[in-house]
């Protein structure tokens, strides 16, 4: 064998392979840069943290070729304009609650949760296994948006009140920051609901512009400082047995992604959903203890408030289903699913939870 000739020809072959391979790799992992607007301020490490974690995982999975730059509420658009920004292409994507946009159509609420509705596990089951996500995505096509579940707060608290609520009568004329369908139901009980982004609630409470506010749970509420400007901390947050946070993507941008980039986003969103629930379940108990130690008075809503709210919720759903075709399409899927999930949880979950809770209280004495 001519050793010199072999080295020469093999060198040419290696260079040719490299020349072919490099463009192939570049084409399979194209460089893409997106902007994400969150509906949450940066001091909410879990809700805003969804965005930063998602961006980190997407970059890692694509050898830093797919970059998502994250922006807090107000840095590009206000908190409650995230949907519009994605829809019109101002940004490629966002993290937000669909229930913020019920003013456009009350059917948006199903993606987040309905008052007295599904809890976190049930909502995930309905979305991923019960046909809910298909309904949500079909609905959102009308807004030029592709949706991926990407976080959840779990069951929330009933919010902060400057005065004690002893009956339904105490709700009359109360100005309260409350989002979504819950605000509509509270309005039927005499409350004047206010739509205010998370970062602006404290100032409104402090100035007395509002009398009460709900946001999330102890971990987030403590960070926003509500305990400093409102004394009474109520439970349960019946309007949100969970709050599914969605990742909105502009439809043209979504369709333009390589298939494996879309798969990376789906996987990263599933991870942020799981981690957000774990983080809230880990941090809320300690935050609740701290809030009470700082002077917050923990109160349960009176039974007449709960019963009146439930009655109004069921009446509202029936009215909306009769008048709004989009709402009816969701409701026809959601209502039977909700009923059967309540049966299962009454049989398996509630007896277990009640027994363990009682034993834990005894152990704590």
């Amino acid at each position: 064998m001519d050793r010199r000739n072999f080295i020469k020809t093999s060198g040419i072959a290696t260079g040719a392979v490299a020349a072919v391979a490099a463009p192939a790799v570049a084409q399979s992992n194209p460089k893409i840069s997106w902007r994400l607007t969150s509906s949450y301020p940066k001091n909410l490490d879990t809700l805003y943290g969804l965005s930063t974690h998602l961006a980190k995982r997407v970059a890692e999975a694509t050898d830093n070729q797919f970059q998502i730059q994250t922006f807090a509420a107000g840095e590009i658009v206000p908190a409650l304009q995230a949907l519009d920004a994605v829809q019109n292409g101002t940004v490629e994507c966002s993290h937000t609650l669909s229930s913020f946009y019920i003013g456009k159509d009350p059917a948006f609420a199903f993606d987040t949760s309905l008052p007295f509705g599904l809890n976190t596990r049930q909502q995930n089951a309905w979305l991923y296994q019960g046909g809910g996500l298909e309904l949500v995505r079909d609905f959102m096509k009308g807004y030029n948006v592709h949706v991926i579940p990407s976080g959840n707060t779990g069951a929330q608290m009933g919010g902060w009140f400057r005065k004690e609520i002893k009956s339904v009568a105490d709700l009359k004329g109360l100005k309260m920051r409350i989002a979504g369908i819950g605000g509509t139901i509270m309005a039927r009980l005499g409350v004047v609901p206010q739509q205010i982004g998370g970062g602006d609630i404290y100032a409104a409470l402090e100035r007395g512009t509002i009398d009460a506010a709900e946001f999330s749970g102890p971990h987030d509420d403590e960070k926003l400082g509500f305990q400093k400007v409102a004394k009474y901390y109520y439970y349960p947050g019946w309007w949100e047995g969970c709050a599914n946070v969605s990742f909105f993507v502009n439809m043209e941008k979504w369709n333009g992604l390589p298939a494996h980039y879309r798969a990376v986003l789906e996987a990263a969103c599933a991870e942020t959903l799981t981690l957000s629930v774990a983080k809230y379940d880990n941090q809320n108990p300690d935050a609740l203890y701290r809030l009470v130690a700082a002077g917050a008075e923990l109160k349960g809503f009176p039974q007449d408030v709960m019963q009146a709210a439930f009655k109004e919720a069921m009446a509202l759903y029936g009215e909306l289903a009769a008048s709004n075709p989009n709402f009816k399409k969701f409701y026809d899927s959601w209502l039977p699913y909700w009923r059967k999930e309540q049966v299962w949880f009454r049989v398996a979950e509630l007896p277990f939870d009640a027994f363990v809770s009682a034993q834990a209280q005894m152990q704590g004495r």
Side-chain angles (χ1 to χ4, degrees):
M1 177 181 289
D2 187 334
R3 188 166 176 271
R4 291 181 180 176
N5 188 53
F6 173 77
I7 293 173
K8 181 179 179 180
T9 55
S10 63
I12 293 171
T14 301
V17 170
V20 171
V25 171
Q27 289 170 10
S28 64
N29 281 331
K31 192 166 185 63
I32 293 176
S33 179
W34 280 8
R35 297 194 304 170
L36 182 157
T37 184
S38 172
S39 284
Y40 308 104
K42 289 183 177 178
N43 62 330
L44 294 181
D45 61 312
T46 303
L47 285 172
Y48 179 74
L50 295 173
S51 304
T52 55
H53 182 82
L54 178 79
K56 175 176 178 290
R57 296 298 275 163
V58 168
E60 289 172 345
T62 61
D63 198 25
N64 290 315
Q65 290 295 99
F66 190 176
Q67 295 285 335
I68 300 177
Q69 189 177 5
T70 61
F71 296 88
E75 291 185 332
I76 298 179
V77 296
L80 305 184
Q81 292 181 19
L83 169 63
D84 303 277
V86 174
Q87 183 181 6
N88 62 32
T90 300
V91 295
E92 289 80 11
C93 55
S94 72
H95 267 132
T96 189
L97 284 188
S98 293
S99 59
F100 288 152
Y101 311 105
I102 62 166
K104 298 176 184 292
D105 192 316
F108 272 98
F110 285 94
D111 183 41
T112 303
S113 68
L114 261 64
F116 297 106
L118 302 169
N119 65 23
T120 304
R121 286 168 52 191
Q122 295 165 347
Q123 181 77 2
N124 283 343
W126 178 65
L127 286 171
Y128 282 109
Q129 298 293 317
L133 188 55
E134 288 84 352
L135 290 173
V136 169
R137 286 177 172 170
D138 184 62
F139 170 72
M140 292 290 192
K141 284 179 183 177
Y143 292 87
N144 194 36
V145 167
H146 180 77
V147 184
I148 310 174
S150 191
N152 205 304
T153 65
Q156 297 193 4
M157 290 290 285
W160 298 86
F161 292 73
R162 294 164 65 100
K163 68 175 186 177
E164 192 172 357
I165 304 300
K166 297 180 179 179
S167 71
V168 174
D170 291 328
L171 297 176
K172 304 296 183 183
L174 192 81
K175 297 188 295 294
M176 181 178 183
R177 184 275 180 190
I178 179 169
I181 295 285
T184 305
I185 296 167
M186 283 295 242
R188 293 165 74 124
L189 299 178
V191 170
V192 182
Q194 310 287 314
Q195 282 270 36
I196 303 173
D200 300 319
I201 299 173
Y202 180 93
L205 267 175
E206 185 179 39
R207 291 194 303 264
T209 306
I210 57 176
D211 307 302
E214 65 81 27
F215 184 73
S216 180
H219 177 66
D220 287 338
D221 291 355
E222 182 185 35
K223 285 186 172 295
L224 292 174
F226 299 149
Q227 71 278 9
K228 301 173 184 177
V229 288
K231 180 179 181 180
Y232 300 103
Y233 197 23
Y234 275 85
Y235 65 88
W238 48 263
W239 43 80
E240 284 178 324
C242 74
N244 175 64
V245 181
S246 285
F247 181 64
F248 286 181
V249 185
N250 177 276
M251 188 64 74
E252 284 81 10
K253 294 297 182 180
W254 173 258
N255 290 335
L257 285 177
H260 66 293
Y261 275 20
R262 294 197 295 266
V264 165
L265 278 175
E266 294 272 6
C269 284
E271 182 178 272
T272 59
L273 195 164
T274 300
L275 290 177
S276 66
V277 175
K279 190 171 183 179
Y280 275 119
D281 284 343
N282 178 65
Q283 294 178 327
N284 276 330
D286 290 338
L288 182 61
Y289 277 110
R290 290 193 299 269
L291 288 168
V292 172
E297 291 194 24
L298 203 57
K299 298 278 186 180
F301 280 122
Q303 279 302 301
D304 72 325
V305 170
M306 296 293 291
Q307 290 167 355
F310 183 82
K311 180 180 177 181
E312 291 296 341
M314 295 302 114
L316 176 63
Y317 301 158
E319 293 165 14
L320 289 172
S323 62
N324 183 311
N326 288 328
F327 195 94
K328 184 180 187 318
K329 187 175 182 180
F330 277 106
Y331 198 55
D332 287 347
S333 165
W334 181 92
L335 183 60
Y337 202 89
W338 173 78
R339 285 173 175 155
K340 73 176 184 178
E341 286 295 309
Q342 304 319 308
V343 171
W344 166 240
F345 271 66
R346 283 200 306 273
V347 170
E349 301 287 340
L350 293 182
F352 174 80
D353 290 345
F355 175 80
V356 173
S357 179
Q359 297 307 306
Q361 288 181 16
M362 292 176 62
Q363 291 291 325
R365 290 177 182 173

